[in-house]
């Protein structure tokens, strides 16, 4: 690979990324749902254009700042898939004035009184349902709270009830594909029961996590799905058996700066400020922060066994390897590492280098 890499760099395999995108679009078509993809993973206008070229015109983002970035790049139908923050209503009004059709997320009835009468144009409202994840949203069993929200929405002409939203993030702790499917089955049942109990005939149901959107085929009752991580996948998805390691479309290239034979460890330039501190556990319950691959002319190899980043500090990464791998690596080599969590890794490295040398922008490069 002749890319003149001298520091930690996020490599992007476009062919794998496009295969992931096309696969999810086919999944939406097969299940009769609309893909409203979450752009929090890639945060890139160039990558966004690949979605647009395939007919996607509605997107989700994780912050108002991200909505501003994609609005500047021509996106006109945006869901801010994070609980509505009353302190950002003025910024949302600017987007509305620019012609953006906004959908916001309400995760607490009390937020409505804080925004009442403050929106200058109509916004769609998705009410977030907690079907078991326990992060944010109203518990599916609290019908009384949903009734409060619906009543409050009818008192403000600028707030239009659109539907119910659920992110079953507990799929990330599942032990099998069957577990993921069961979590989704139970979540969908809870949302449909809630919809019926509330008498909501005009009500969209949106589900949005990559494990479920990838492996669940029975989506009866679901209208929209909004996964994000699928565009790159990562080691978490691989260890969940949601994707194969060959589906992972990004790798972090890190220069080798030191070797220590007494402990079979190699130090690379690539630390927590590049990978994040997200980790997995190996068979011995030891933490690791990435798995090594060999960079090749058109991509990278399969994962090298027993070659893992076992420690990260700010800029340092400590790679633990076996004798043979230790001898094969030299100071000045550039190694590749598949990330644990591609969303955070992309956010930290703030740009992409494709295998043919193109640079793709990341939002944080231009919005910081």
């Amino acid at each position: 690979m002749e890319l003149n890499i001298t520091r930690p760099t996020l490599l992007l395999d476009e062919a794998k990324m496009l295969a992931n995108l096309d696969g999810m679009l086919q999944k939406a078509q097969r299940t009769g749902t609309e893909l409203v993809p979450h752009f929090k993973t890639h945060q890139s206008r160039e990558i966004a254009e690949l979605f647009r070229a395939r007919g996607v015109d509605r997107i989700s983002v994780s912050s108002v700042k991200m909505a501003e970035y994609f609005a500047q790049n021509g996106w006109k139908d945006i869901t801010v898939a994070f609980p509505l923050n009353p302190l950002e209503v003025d910024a949302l009004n600017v987007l509305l004035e620019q012609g953006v059709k906004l959908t916001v997320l309400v995760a607490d009835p009390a937020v409505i009184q804080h925004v009442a009468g403050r929106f200058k144009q109509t916004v769609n409202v998705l009410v977030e349902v907690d079907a078991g994840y326990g992060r944010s949203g109203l518990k599916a069993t609290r019908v009384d709270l949903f009734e409060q929200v619906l009543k409050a929405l009818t008192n403000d002409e600028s707030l239009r009830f659109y539907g119910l939203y659920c992110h079953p993030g507990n799929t990330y702790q599942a032990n099998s594909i069957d577990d993921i499917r069961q979590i989704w089955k139970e979540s969908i049942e809870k949302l449909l029961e809630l919809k019926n109990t509330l008498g909501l005939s005009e009500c969209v149901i949106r589900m949005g996590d990559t494990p479920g959107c990838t492996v669940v085929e029975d989506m009866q009752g679901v209208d929209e799905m909004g996964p994000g991580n699928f565009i790159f996948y990562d080691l978490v998805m691989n260890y969940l058996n949601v994707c194969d390691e060959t589906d992972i479309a990004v790798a972090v290239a890190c220069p080798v700066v030191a070797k220590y034979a007494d402990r079979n460890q190699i130090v690379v330039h690539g630390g927590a400020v590049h990978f994040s501190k997200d980790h997995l556990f190996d068979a011995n319950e030891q933490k690791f922060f990435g798995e090594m691959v060999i960079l090749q002319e058109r991509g990278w190899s399969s994962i090298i066994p027993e070659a893992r980043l076992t420690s990260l500090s700010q800029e340092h990464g400590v790679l633990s390897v076996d004798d043979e791998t230790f001898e094969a690596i030299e100071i000045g080599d550039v190694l590749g590492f598949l990330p644990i969590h591609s969303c955070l890794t992309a956010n930290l490295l703030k740009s992409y280098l494709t295998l043919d040398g193109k640079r793709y922008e990341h939002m944080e490069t231009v919005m910081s």
Side-chain angles (χ1 to χ4, degrees):
M1 183 177 291
E2 297 294 331
L3 294 176
N4 192 31
I5 294 169
T6 61
R7 60 186 60 170
T9 301
L10 188 58
L11 300 176
L12 172 62
D13 187 321
E14 291 177 286
K16 292 180 179 180
M17 175 182 66
L18 289 173
N20 295 340
L21 172 53
D22 289 338
M24 194 60 74
L25 285 167
Q26 291 163 12
K27 178 64 169 290
Q29 185 176 31
R30 192 165 64 246
T31 57
T33 58
E34 180 182 358
L35 179 64
V36 186
H38 208 315
F39 279 8
K40 70 181 180 68
T41 299
H42 63 79
Q43 299 183 51
S44 168
R45 63 182 177 88
E46 291 96 343
I47 295 174
E49 288 306 311
L50 300 174
F51 285 79
R52 202 197 307 264
R54 286 158 172 76
V56 173
D57 60 7
R58 303 175 64 213
I59 65 172
S60 299
V61 297
S62 57
S63 68
V64 175
K65 178 181 177 182
M66 201 178 299
E68 292 167 343
Y69 170 75
F70 284 109
Q72 289 170 12
N73 287 283
W75 293 88
K76 294 297 186 181
D77 192 323
I78 302 174
T79 298
V80 182
F82 183 84
L84 176 59
N85 174 7
L87 301 179
E88 292 189 294
V89 169
D90 290 345
L92 290 170
N93 275 324
V94 171
L95 289 171
L96 290 168
E97 291 167 354
Q98 293 171 351
V100 177
K101 181 179 179 181
L102 282 176
T103 302
V104 298
L105 206 66
V106 167
D108 185 324
V111 78
I112 298 174
Q113 68 187 48
H114 290 277
V115 302
R118 295 178 57 197
F119 282 105
K120 296 179 180 179
Q121 298 179 35
T122 301
V123 296
N124 288 331
V125 175
L126 281 169
V127 183
E128 185 175 11
V129 182
D130 176 6
Y133 182 26
R135 183 178 67 178
S136 60
L138 306 180
K139 288 188 179 298
T141 54
R142 290 297 306 272
V143 175
D144 58 320
L145 295 181
F146 287 94
E147 289 174 338
Q148 286 181 35
V149 170
L150 294 172
K151 182 177 180 180
L153 292 178
T154 61
N155 294 329
D156 191 328
E157 292 183 354
S158 66
L159 300 174
R160 172 183 173 267
F161 175 70
Y162 179 67
L164 302 174
Y165 171 87
C166 182
H167 177 79
N170 39 334
T171 56
Y172 285 78
Q173 284 76 51
N175 293 315
S176 68
I177 296 298
D178 285 343
D179 283 353
I180 293 171
R181 290 174 176 149
Q182 184 62 28
I183 289 169
W184 258 58
K185 180 177 182 292
E186 292 174 0
S187 297
I188 293 171
E189 288 173 351
K190 289 176 182 178
L191 266 69
L192 291 175
E193 181 180 357
L194 182 62
K195 177 180 176 179
N196 291 333
T197 301
L198 294 169
L200 300 172
S201 56
E202 298 294 324
C203 172
V204 167
I205 289 181
R206 184 186 300 182
M207 304 278 286
D209 67 296
T210 285
C213 290
T214 301
V215 306
V216 173
E217 290 292 335
D218 183 1
M219 294 193 184
Q220 187 171 358
V222 178
D223 302 290
E224 301 171 356
M225 60 176 183
N229 177 275
F230 76 95
I231 192 65
F232 298 151
Y233 288 119
D234 51 31
L235 287 177
V236 168
M237 295 299 117
N238 179 226
Y239 273 66
L240 285 171
N241 292 318
V242 166
C243 76
D244 188 79
E245 68 171 87
T246 58
D247 298 320
I248 299 174
V250 288
V252 185
C254 298
V256 175
V257 297
K259 294 179 64 177
Y260 299 100
D262 59 324
R263 62 181 197 252
N264 268 23
Q265 289 185 328
I266 294 166
V267 176
V268 299
H269 185 192
V273 296
H274 310 106
F275 287 94
S276 88
K277 280 279 193 175
D278 274 20
H279 59 270
L280 289 169
F281 291 93
D282 65 18
N284 298 315
E285 293 300 310
Q286 298 298 308
K287 288 182 183 180
F288 69 94
F289 302 89
E291 296 200 89
M292 193 184 98
V293 293
I294 302 298
L295 300 181
Q296 299 172 336
E297 184 176 351
R298 292 300 303 168
W300 47 82
S301 70
S302 57
I303 292 170
I304 304 302
E306 304 304 321
R308 297 187 176 104
L309 290 171
T310 53
S311 176
L312 294 181
S313 50
Q314 184 160 332
E315 300 278 350
H316 299 67
V318 176
L319 171 65
S320 298
V321 297
D322 59 20
D323 292 342
E324 182 180 356
T325 304
F326 183 88
E327 293 300 326
I329 295 171
E330 301 293 341
I331 291 176
D333 287 348
V334 178
L335 305 176
F337 296 93
L338 301 184
I340 301 294
H341 187 173
S342 61
C343 307
L344 291 183
T345 301
N347 191 68
L348 289 166
L349 284 165
K350 296 181 174 59
S351 72
Y352 305 92
L353 180 63
T354 68
L355 301 180
D356 58 359
K358 297 195 298 286
R359 284 280 180 184
Y360 280 178
E361 173 183 291
H362 188 281
M363 179 190 83
E364 290 297 335
T365 308
V366 296
M367 298 287 284
S368 57

